Amino acid sequence: MSLLVVGSVAFDAIETPFGKTDKIIGGAATYITLASTYFTKKANLVAVVGGDFPASDIALLQSHGVNTEGLQIRENEKSFFWSGKYHNDMNSRDTLVTELNVLGDFDPIIPESYKDCEFLMLGNLTPAIQRTVIERLPKRPKLIVMDTMNFWMDIAWDDLMQTLSMVDVLSINDEEARQLSKEYSLVKAAQKILTMGPKVLIIKKGEHGALLFNKEQVFFAPALPLEEVFDPTGAGDTFAGGFIGYLAKTGDISFANMKRAIIYGSALASFCVEKFGVERLASLTDTEIQDRVQDFVDLVQFEITID
Amino acid sequence: MSLLVVGSVAFDAIETPFGKTDKIIGGAATYITLASTYFTKKANLVAVVGGDFPASDIALLQSHGVNTEGLQIRENEKSFFWSGKYHNDMNSRDTLVTELNVLGDFDPIIPESYKDCEFLMLGNLTPAIQRTVIERLPKRPKLIVMDTMNFWMDIAWDDLMQTLSMVDVLSINDEEARQLSKEYSLVKAAQKILTMGPKVLIIKKGEHGALLFNKEQVFFAPALPLEEVFDPTGAGDTFAGGFIGYLAKTGDISFANMKRAIIYGSALASFCVEKFGVERLASLTDTEIQDRVQDFVDLVQFEITID
């Protein structure tokens, strides 16, 4: 089923203990769409870049099956740029540069051909823009998944609450879940957030895995223990892209299928961190993905007979 | 099969955001033996207390099936005492008081009736005392599991290395694994530690679950997401007690059975934190344990068909 992804397509400059990059392709929607194309070839992108954005990077997305009809190119402006430096433990980073540029007044124009999309992934953007996307769709998608971050909780709370009330699945990290709910316990946080609109909540815990909640059930997917994390940039978006890509492929939004989608998302994220930027994510084979999913099965599988 | 547990039996005074206790029964071997008795009724304890230790606390252990023949009581001395205060997030604590008292010159005398034990659990003690226990057993047990802590890495490295070389399974937390191996990645840490003696390594990550490694395989068990952690004291020892208790009950030390043992250990630890000290651990029913294990199955169970 067709997927619409809205979010940033951008330049990143990344420094880790293993090295540093010049400006490379980054942005939430880049990782989300690339990851999703391993499951669905109907990944429709809505984003904006400047005239400085290389045609080769757009071609990279297209070569993976991303439909870039909705990618606006503002010739005389500059692309969104983020630069960050990871600490030695890779769990924390400093933002060195954030230049909004074209993202500052992004108007998410949705091409006619996208308007029947059944799965909508709202990458991290201002909650007002995310809401505009929902409002511009003539028919509500079967599933709306939203990512956000602490920044919007700080400066756009009311907007965030309004957008949250309109989505089906929220994907955030553990600190964001605590900030949003004002609860330290993630179980209590989830209960509270599930009264704000979303029927399903994903709490990403980085190297500690991810939790999937609905009002009755909880599922935990571990992260794969890795020898080396080379660059964590984009791992959360890759996870989200794998998640919604798998749901769009199967068309099944049951909790049982969301569990599988979480495992596929986790598998893709475990590749993402192996190289800088999208390098590893852009070169996966189906066999590699299936083998990695098998690693997840092996990692958590046990046999217990409950008396 | 019979189990020998050596470790501290002590007084704890605990303060958490939920309240504080006077001196209550604590100590690694207390939690380990109590947890193990839910699986095996042959839990033989070697420890030392002072004359100040209440007969009612010893009776509590006995009523659960702990054999206290090897519990030395030094009438004119005082029991080991630890006092700590947990921070609001429950993940860190300050030690307020540590009085070694009788533990300062603990000589682990092993009663004749214990000497055929097939499972040995060495709770956290000086590595030299742990080694003495192994050396005093006429026949090497089928499985030796050892717990330790960063303190011994700081002050007794050579002793620790010598004891490590004699055990089968090491159980430590993530920070301790990093300190012991001088590797940040837990995968690399495990590879290194598995060259130091142990054939199996358990890395406890508290609320983030636990990893089980041998040279070829890795297994991950999550911690159950809890609404409230009331008092984390003893959770790691309870986990270890459930682990070795289940192994001693089944007599099976395969990796597959160690996975089950880890789940049972995690289930018991999830109860331990619900109340102060051993209160919850001392009052469990088999049905409660089986229901909790089912919660773990439900938490991680998913069905994926790998193409």
Side-chain angles (χ1 to χ4, degrees), chain A residues 91 184-185 187-188 191 205 208 219-220 225-228 259-260 293-294 299 301 303-304 306, chain B residues 91 184-185 187-188 191 205 208 219-220 225-228 259-260 293-294 299 301 303-304 306:
Chain A
N91 280 323
Y184 184 80
S185 151
V187 175
K188 287 189 177 177
Q191 288 166 349
K205 304 199 299 170
H208 300 302
F219 173 67
F220 175 81
L226 298 172
E227 279 201 35
E228 207 97 82
K259 290 184 185 182
R260 287 186 277 271
V293 168
Q294 185 63 52
L299 181 65
Q301 183 183 264
E303 303 280 339
I304 279 188
I306 311 279
Chain B
N91 281 321
Y184 184 79
S185 150
V187 175
K188 287 189 176 176
Q191 289 165 350
K205 304 199 300 171
H208 300 303
F219 173 66
F220 174 81
L226 298 172
E227 279 201 36
E228 208 97 80
K259 289 185 188 183
R260 286 186 277 271
V293 168
Q294 185 63 52
L299 182 65
Q301 181 182 264
E303 303 280 340
I304 278 187
I306 310 280

Side-chain angles (χ1 to χ4, degrees), chain A residues 152-173:
Chain A
W152 309 119
M153 299 171 200
D154 291 334
I155 71 156
W157 180 265
D158 292 345
D159 259 341
L160 178 60
M161 285 300 116
Q162 207 179 331
T163 306
L164 258 184
S165 73
M166 300 165 75
V167 308
D168 301 305
V169 181
L170 176 66
S171 167
I172 48 180
N173 72 30

Side-chain angles (χ1 to χ4, degrees), chain B residues 67-136:
Chain B
N67 183 352
T68 59
E69 186 187 344
L71 177 64
Q72 305 165 35
I73 302 175
R74 297 213 210 138
E75 288 300 343
N76 300 316
E77 297 180 48
K78 289 172 73 179
S79 301
F80 175 53
F81 172 54
W82 175 83
S83 174
K85 180 178 175 172
Y86 289 87
H87 300 169
N88 279 335
D89 68 2
M90 290 288 200
N91 281 321
S92 53
R93 68 184 185 191
D94 295 325
T95 290
L96 305 177
V97 180
T98 306
E99 293 174 8
L100 277 184
N101 299 327
V102 289
L103 211 58
D105 60 349
F106 175 40
D107 181 34
I109 299 163
I110 301 166
E112 275 304 310
S113 66
Y114 288 14
K115 287 193 171 169
D116 63 345
C117 84
E118 288 168 291
F119 287 81
L120 171 60
M121 176 76 222
L122 299 166
N124 176 44
L125 284 171
T126 71
I129 294 179
Q130 292 177 315
R131 192 166 62 249
T132 300
V133 172
I134 300 174
E135 288 166 350
R136 285 181 179 173

Side-chain angles (χ1 to χ4, degrees), chain B residues 166-206:
Chain B
M166 301 165 75
V167 306
D168 301 304
V169 180
L170 176 66
S171 168
I172 48 180
N173 72 29
D174 43 1
E175 284 319 306
E176 291 159 352
R178 288 180 170 126
Q179 183 171 347
L180 184 59
S181 65
K182 302 178 182 73
E183 293 283 354
Y184 184 79
S185 150
L186 295 180
V187 175
K188 287 189 176 176
Q191 289 165 350
K192 213 156 172 178
I193 293 167
L194 290 174
T195 67
M196 296 176 179
K199 293 180 286 290
V200 172
L201 172 67
I202 297 169
I203 301 182
K204 298 172 286 185
K205 304 199 300 171

Side-chain angles (χ1 to χ4, degrees), chain A residues 44-69:
Chain A
N44 299 310
L45 172 65
V46 167
V48 61
V49 293
D52 55 349
F53 205 74
S56 59
D57 282 345
I58 298 173
L60 171 77
L61 294 173
Q62 290 168 339
S63 74
H64 278 80
V66 178
N67 183 353
T68 59
E69 187 188 342

